[in-house]
Amino acid sequence: MSKNDKSKLMISLDSVDKLKWSTELGKRLQSLRGDIPMRTLADKVNNNGVTCTYQYIHKLEVGKAEAVSTDLIVAICNALDADFKQLFPAVYIDPSELLAILQKNVA
């Protein structure tokens, strides 16, 4: 795969240490958080066994983080009762799209 290759690759989230973060993801996180105070969210994440501060949540929401651990992202999603794909929809491949990719690679 070249740097410019936009092919999709399926890999277990357990095998990924960090994911690239962006301003768009920060806005999505802020939307998912809604009216929940950042301190409350940080406390919920910490109660899930992952260290997080409200300052770091702010950093995420304004897009200042470059890469975020998958453990933290999963803990934030759990604290928000949100599915991982609500925050990272690009990580998931539609089954029909997967079939098209497989057929293309077999041909």
Side-chain angles (χ1 to χ4, degrees), residues 2 5-6 11 15 17 24 37 45 55 68 72 84 90 106:
S2 71
D5 188 0
K6 298 295 181 184
I11 187 168
S15 302
D17 182 45
E24 178 187 335
V45 171
Q55 295 97 330
V68 182
L72 178 58
F84 185 86
V106 170

Side-chain angles (χ1 to χ4, degrees), residues 32 36 41 44 74-84 86:
L32 287 172
I36 299 170
L41 177 55
K44 286 182 172 186
V74 169
I76 288 172
C77 288
N78 289 340
L80 292 172
D81 291 324
D83 191 76
F84 185 86
Q86 288 178 271

Side-chain angles (χ1 to χ4, degrees), residues 8-92:
K8 294 182 181 177
L9 175 70
M10 290 182 23
I11 187 168
S12 170
L13 192 56
D14 294 336
S15 302
V16 179
D17 182 45
K18 293 186 181 217
L19 291 169
K20 185 176 179 181
W21 196 257
S22 68
T23 304
E24 178 187 335
L25 290 169
K27 289 177 183 176
R28 194 171 294 136
L29 172 59
Q30 189 173 27
S31 175
L32 287 172
R33 183 173 59 82
D35 294 334
I36 299 170
M38 288 183 203
R39 286 182 192 264
T40 302
L41 177 55
D43 288 343
K44 286 182 172 186
V45 171
N46 287 315
N47 290 338
N48 283 330
V50 179
T51 303
C52 185
T53 63
Y54 75 91
Q55 295 97 330
Y56 194 69
I57 290 171
H58 178 264
K59 186 176 180 176
L60 291 171
E61 288 186 356
V62 297
K64 299 280 182 176
E66 292 182 20
V68 182
S69 79
T70 53
D71 290 342
L72 178 58
I73 295 168
V74 169
I76 288 172
C77 288
N78 289 340
L80 292 172
D81 291 324
D83 191 76
F84 185 86
K85 66 183 173 185
Q86 288 178 271
L87 189 56
F88 272 89
V91 173
Y92 289 84

Side-chain angles (χ1 to χ4, degrees), residues 6-8 10 89-90 92-104:
K6 298 295 181 184
S7 296
K8 294 182 181 177
M10 290 182 23
Y92 289 84
I93 297 176
D94 180 275
S96 61
E97 193 176 337
L98 176 59
L99 182 60
I101 291 168
L102 292 172
Q103 289 173 339
K104 178 182 171 185

